[in-house]
Amino acid sequence: MQAEPISRGLRKAAPRPDLYEVSHLSDPWEAMTAELKPPMSHQDAFLEAYRCLLCGGPLTPAPCMLACPAKVDVPSFIGAISVGQPVEAAEIIFDANPLGGTCARVCPTEELCEGSCVLNSTHQRPVDIGRLQRYAIDQAFKEGDLMVPKRPQPNGSRVAVVGAGPAGIAGAFELAKRGYKVTLFDSKPSTGGLVRSAIAPYRQLRDPLDQETARLWELGVEFRLGTTIDKKLRKELESSYDAILLAIGMGDDATTGCEGNELEGVFSSLPFIERIKATDLPNVKNKVAVIGAGNTAMDVAREAVRLGAKEVTVLYRRSAEEMPAFPVEYEEAIEEGVHFAWLTNPVSYEGNGSVRAVRCSKMELGEPDSSGRRRPVPVAGSEFLLEVDTVIEAIGQLPRKDFLADISGVELESGLIKAKTETGETGNPLYFAAGDALNGGATVVEAVKLGKAAAAGIDAKLSELRKVK
Ligand SMILES: Cc1cc2nc3c(=O)[nH]c(=O)nc-3n(C[C@H](O)[C@H](O)[C@H](O)COP(=O)(O)OP(=O)(O)OC[C@H]3O[C@@H](n4cnc5c(N)ncnc54)[C@H](O)[C@@H]3O)c2cc1C
């Protein structure tokens, strides 16, 4: 995820009444799942909705709506809540974002809609848009209303969507709404991609992903879960579908390659989170080192705190200014007691069977590298040992190159799919792409945006083809 550089550590977070207080909870599972953004009561939702100035209009959309990658009409749905119409509010949200309930929980709202709320400029706290969005959708689902649009007349074209994560779900939903016969494939036995397996449980366990998936089913999308599209199946798709949307996300975790990473107590971020979500809590001991300083690193550091670690230290080879985590994630990690060691890089993990220490090197920043950030360079003779009993590497994921390697015309750039247009069109007229596989990993709502854009691109192309037939 990209975040603006911040002049931190340094900006103190405004106190948030709803911020989760880790120290109160002693049961690790209760601690893991206590939600960062808990549900609102009717009364709270009503009062909060009244704080919204309902700014914007047909000619000047509200800043919160402009800041939302999925372009949810925030003032309209909040207006509906304020007049006691949560189902109508949910319909407005779902009209723009088929993962509206998920995004209400997992979106970095502080960086997006709430960050651009006009109340910020009047020194008031922004409207709690994320939790109002959650309220509307939870209420609608509680009333048993899936808010599925009417099935359109089939238009005769078939589209295969590979990957049932946010990008694939958004693409499949938009295409089905437009009358396409859509088949959604995923290797895993369930939908959701990283939302189901990797997003920290204090943001979202499962709800409302299952209901959101049921909406696709009701709209006529065919599911082929537990099906990995390999080279052979890909050929079959190419001959049976009019377009193929690649929404395959990223692959396994990248690793530091540090010597000693086979030691007991050294984890990689994705399996670490997957185990927590599967209630198979990893055995985290007292002193934890987290390697990396992106949003995933903040999540695993905060989860280690919840699992009972006494001292959690994030090691980052650059300085605070280059840290990729969103400011709010960093500030909340600090509030929960996480420590940060800047300009510090792991060299090896030491121990006999189990990890006992990280050998670290101090770093200094040299000339900018290809990312535009100053390259970290080891300081000679600066190595030292940091005593730990758990290490969690969280330095990002690798692209899934194998599957893509030989699709004629589909170009890759640093392992990511290279799109020719904003609709994710590739160099092969049959293939479009969306989500993390294109942008290298960002947020759920960005993946939704790209899935919707690809659906629009596929529709434009196949509509033209249908006209000339
Ligand atoms: C640890 C972690 C925490 C995160 N936390 C947040 C957060 O709090 N908020 C937020 O907004 N974002 C978060 N993100 C980012 C977010 O989860 C992703 O940006 C988003 O899920 C990307 O969606 P996608 O559909 O592109 O890919 P994915 O979610 O990765 O889905 C891709 C799907 O494609 C399937 N697939 C791949 N290859 C094949 C194949 N050959 N055949 C069949 N199926 C295949 C996979 O099984 C997978 O289900 C987090 C990411 C990580 C790693």
Side-chain angles (χ1 to χ4, degrees):
M1 294 199 247
Q2 293 295 320
E4 285 188 5
I6 33 178
S7 55
R8 57 168 86 112
L10 317 177
R11 172 154 77 89
K12 186 76 190 103
R16 281 187 35 192
D18 57 327
L19 189 65
Y20 171 67
E21 287 193 36
V22 189
S23 55
H24 286 180
L25 300 169
S26 53
D27 174 337
W29 182 244
E30 195 190 338
M32 303 306 311
T33 53
E35 292 176 289
L36 279 182
K37 294 185 180 173
M40 277 177 165
S41 66
H42 293 302
Q43 195 186 23
D44 285 350
F46 198 64
L47 290 174
E48 189 62 14
Y50 261 91
R51 294 186 60 241
C52 178
L53 302 181
L54 304 179
C55 37
L59 298 178
T60 49
C64 49
M65 181 172 171
L66 288 175
C68 172
K71 294 287 167 282
V72 170
D73 185 347
V74 176
S76 295
F77 93 70
I78 293 184
I81 293 176
S82 71
V83 294
Q85 301 285 351
V87 178
E88 192 183 308
E91 275 170 359
I92 294 168
I93 297 161
F94 274 139
D95 192 42
N97 184 352
L99 287 176
T102 289
C103 283
R105 290 156 169 87
V106 309
C107 259
T109 48
E110 299 82 355
E111 299 290 321
L112 299 171
C113 50
E114 291 170 19
S116 63
C117 175
V118 292
L119 291 184
N120 288 305
S121 55
T122 63
H123 304 292
Q124 297 178 63
R125 72 173 171 81
V127 175
D128 207 340
I129 298 169
R131 287 175 70 206
L132 283 172
Q133 181 161 321
R134 172 178 177 165
Y135 167 79
I137 285 175
D138 286 358
Q139 278 311 116
F141 282 155
K142 255 185 220 154
E143 291 182 21
D145 192 338
L146 281 179
M147 296 153 286
V148 183
K150 207 165 151 268
R151 277 196 198 193
Q153 281 295 323
N155 63 26
S157 301
R158 285 162 59 87
V159 182
V161 177
V162 185
I169 287 179
F173 194 80
E174 286 297 315
L175 287 162
K177 265 195 335 196
R178 292 166 153 105
Y180 289 86
K181 178 81 195 128
V182 181
T183 314
L184 185 52
F185 296 87
D186 204 293
S187 312
K188 297 195 178 140
S190 46
T191 57
L194 288 174
V195 172
R196 200 174 288 270
S197 62
I199 288 192
Y202 54 64
R203 294 185 208 282
Q204 178 176 35
L205 259 184
R206 255 178 301 281
D207 289 342
L209 196 52
D210 292 339
Q211 289 105 314
E212 288 171 336
T213 302
R215 298 181 72 240
L216 270 75
W217 179 263
E218 293 290 329
L219 199 54
V221 172
E222 184 197 346
F223 288 81
R224 295 274 302 276
L225 301 176
T227 308
T228 297
I229 303 303
D230 54 13
K231 203 169 166 183
K232 183 165 160 267
L233 279 180
R234 209 182 71 213
K235 298 278 172 213
E236 283 179 29
L237 298 192
E238 286 173 0
S239 55
S240 349
Y241 289 88
D242 301 297
I244 300 171
L245 173 56
L246 296 171
I248 55 176
M250 296 285 280
D252 291 335
D253 278 326
T255 157
T256 59
C258 278
E259 199 180 308
N261 71 359
E262 74 295 344
L263 290 169
E264 195 186 317
V266 179
F267 295 90
S268 183
S269 63
L270 285 184
F272 181 81
I273 301 173
E274 270 169 33
R275 277 187 58 181
I276 296 172
K277 291 192 90 152
T279 67
D280 171 22
L281 300 185
N283 184 11
V284 161
K285 302 199 184 112
N286 283 332
K287 292 188 171 186
V288 178
V290 173
I291 316 297
N295 293 304
T296 301
M298 301 305 122
D299 274 347
V300 293
R302 296 170 71 184
E303 278 167 349
V305 172
R306 285 162 174 75
L307 284 167
K310 300 268 179 309
E311 201 177 298
V312 180
T313 308
V314 169
L315 309 183
Y316 184 49
R317 61 193 181 137
R318 292 184 158 100
S319 71
E321 276 64 37
E322 288 86 24
M323 167 167 60
F326 289 136
V328 64
E329 301 297 330
Y330 164 72
E331 286 155 2
E332 290 182 7
I334 293 263
E335 287 190 20
E336 292 181 4
V338 175
H339 304 280
F340 287 77
W342 307 117
L343 294 166
T344 305
N345 203 32
V347 177
S348 60
Y349 305 136
E350 316 265 325
N352 186 6
S354 307
V355 66
R356 287 281 161 261
V358 182
R359 181 172 296 280
C360 303
S361 170
K362 290 305 291 178
M363 309 296 277
E364 59 191 3
L365 295 178
E367 293 301 310
D369 63 15
S370 57
S371 72
R373 295 178 301 172
R374 292 175 64 196
R375 185 190 300 277
V377 186
V379 176
S382 66
E383 285 188 11
F384 66 97
L385 283 179
L386 176 72
E387 265 185 50
V388 296
D389 37 39
T390 305
V391 172
I392 312 164
E393 293 193 343
I395 57 168
Q397 293 168 272
L398 299 168
R400 294 181 196 272
K401 285 190 217 156
D402 290 356
F403 169 68
L404 300 168
D406 58 349
I407 309 181
S408 129
V410 175
E411 275 183 66
L412 303 183
E413 196 170 323
S414 309
L416 302 175
I417 302 171
K418 199 169 158 189
K420 287 197 319 182
T421 60
E422 287 192 349
T423 58
E425 208 169 343
T426 71
N428 180 324
L430 201 55
Y431 284 94
F432 283 70
D436 282 7
L438 265 189
N439 64 19
T443 54
V444 171
V445 70
E446 276 295 330
V448 166
K449 171 182 147 181
L450 295 175
K452 284 173 62 179
I458 291 171
D459 184 35
K461 182 165 223 162
L462 295 185
S463 301
E464 280 304 311
L465 288 177
R466 284 195 300 275
K467 270 191 219 151
V468 295
K469 266 190 187 166

